[in-house]
Amino acid sequence: MEDSFPDDERADQGLAGLGSPHCFPHQNGERVERYSRKVFVGGLPPDIDEGYAFLLFQDESSVQALIDACIEEDGKLYLCVSSPTIKDKPVQIRPWNLNDSDFVMDGSQPLDPRKTIFVGGVPRPLRAVELAMIMDRLYGGVCYAGIDTDPELKYPKGAGRVAFSNQQSYIAAISARFVQLQHGEIDKRVEVKPYVLDDQLCDECQGTRCGGKFAPFFCANVTCLQYYCEYCWAAIHSRAGREFHKPLVKEGGDRPRHISFRWN
């Protein structure tokens, strides 16, 4: 079945954290959503294109009903599906538990966005707790990890954030640029960048040279690690040794990207 999975869907997610499919928690008289309305289905019969699909449900209760109809084996959920060529083929049903989107590893530490990294290309089965454990094992000092999800379906977008409690761990992570995520059957090389904010004033002029506007550029080089307005970027990075630094800007999907800065 796994040979039919797309690259970022190859690894299987166990049922840890799923809880009983018969339990529907309530809060203030209303049922609390527990799953994304988007569900991954893997290992479809070979006469179905791609071998995998996503199911989109109008109501989260339908996901609960789907889970209830599944067979559990070795910590995974399966449902028998028939096609013109194969009858009753077990396919894997992999729901996303909303509780797996965030994990606080050290609640005593305040979350500092300037010690937070963006992790691109995160395999979608990977839970926040697993991302936190991997990064803590590699760099130490992890206090929080989050999986970015789309606002409507609350399904993983393939990216995450990790916050560190100290500058040393943060710098070690962004200096690596790439990291190998290894957990169970997951083994993927992913990109690591500073998490870029869009509401920071220039660290050099505090907005005095740009009319109080938020700084559009962040320098990820470890000799800088600061936000700059256009004026201060040009001034600071005209100095010897800094002229080749590349600014990061924030774009859609919380993903920072490099831009080519041109001198005036």
Side-chain angles (χ1 to χ4, degrees), residues 42-57:
L44 291 169
D47 53 332
I48 299 178
D49 289 345
E50 302 297 337
Y52 70 94
F54 289 99
L55 301 177
L56 304 182
F57 293 95

Side-chain angles (χ1 to χ4, degrees), residues 76-88:
K76 302 167 187 175
L77 294 175
Y78 295 95
L79 189 71
C80 289
V81 172
S82 297
S83 75
T85 60
I86 298 179
K87 183 179 180 181
D88 295 333

Side-chain angles (χ1 to χ4, degrees), residues 70-101:
C70 288
I71 300 170
E72 180 183 343
E73 184 176 333
D74 297 328
K76 302 167 187 175
L77 294 175
Y78 295 95
L79 189 71
C80 289
V81 172
S82 297
S83 75
T85 60
I86 298 179
K87 183 179 180 181
D88 295 333
K89 182 183 188 300
V91 300
Q92 187 184 3
I93 304 298
R94 195 172 65 219
W96 177 255
N97 190 321
L98 302 182
N99 289 332
D100 291 333
S101 300

Side-chain angles (χ1 to χ4, degrees), residues 213-229:
K213 295 179 181 178
F214 291 135
F217 303 142
F218 178 80
C219 185
N221 190 285
V222 294
T223 61
C224 291
L225 294 179
Q226 290 196 140
Y227 288 86
Y228 297 97
C229 64

Side-chain angles (χ1 to χ4, degrees), residues 17-123:
L18 283 178
S20 170
H22 302 281
C23 180
F24 303 102
H26 288 70
Q27 183 176 344
N28 298 327
E30 296 183 1
R31 193 180 68 194
V32 178
E33 286 192 350
R34 297 167 58 207
Y35 300 102
S36 166
R37 292 186 293 108
K38 183 176 181 179
V39 178
F40 175 79
V41 182
L44 291 169
D47 53 332
I48 299 178
D49 289 345
E50 302 297 337
Y52 70 94
F54 289 99
L55 301 177
L56 304 182
F57 293 95
Q58 290 184 337
D59 192 86
E60 188 259 356
S61 61
S62 298
V63 180
Q64 302 271 9
L66 174 63
I67 294 172
D68 201 22
C70 288
I71 300 170
E72 180 183 343
E73 184 176 333
D74 297 328
K76 302 167 187 175
L77 294 175
Y78 295 95
L79 189 71
C80 289
V81 172
S82 297
S83 75
T85 60
I86 298 179
K87 183 179 180 181
D88 295 333
K89 182 183 188 300
V91 300
Q92 187 184 3
I93 304 298
R94 195 172 65 219
W96 177 255
N97 190 321
L98 302 182
N99 289 332
D100 291 333
S101 300
D102 298 278
F103 179 72
V104 177
M105 194 163 187
D106 186 355
S108 67
Q109 296 291 333
L111 297 183
D112 185 351
R114 294 201 177 205
K115 296 188 185 75
T116 301
I117 61 172
F118 168 89
V119 186
V122 174

Side-chain angles (χ1 to χ4, degrees), residues 105 117 130-142 164 168-169 172-173 176 178-182 188 190 192:
M105 194 163 187
I117 61 172
E130 295 159 349
L131 179 61
M133 296 297 183
I134 293 171
M135 290 298 183
D136 192 66
R137 184 171 65 247
L138 291 172
Y139 307 112
V142 170
F164 295 94
Q168 182 179 0
S169 297
F178 294 93
V179 65
Q180 199 75 21
L181 294 183
Q182 294 178 320
K188 186 180 181 184
V190 298
V192 173

Side-chain angles (χ1 to χ4, degrees), residues 138-193:
L138 291 172
Y139 307 112
V142 170
C143 56
Y144 166 83
I147 301 297
D148 290 348
T149 59
D150 71 81
E152 181 182 0
L153 297 173
K154 302 175 184 177
Y155 191 80
K157 296 192 295 186
R161 292 150 288 124
V162 178
F164 295 94
S165 60
N166 63 83
Q167 191 77 356
Q168 182 179 0
S169 297
Y170 169 72
I171 291 177
I174 62 173
S175 298
R177 295 189 59 194
F178 294 93
V179 65
Q180 199 75 21
L181 294 183
Q182 294 178 320
H183 179 81
E185 297 177 1
I186 293 175
D187 189 0
K188 186 180 181 184
R189 186 172 184 252
V190 298
E191 186 179 21
V192 173
K193 293 181 179 181

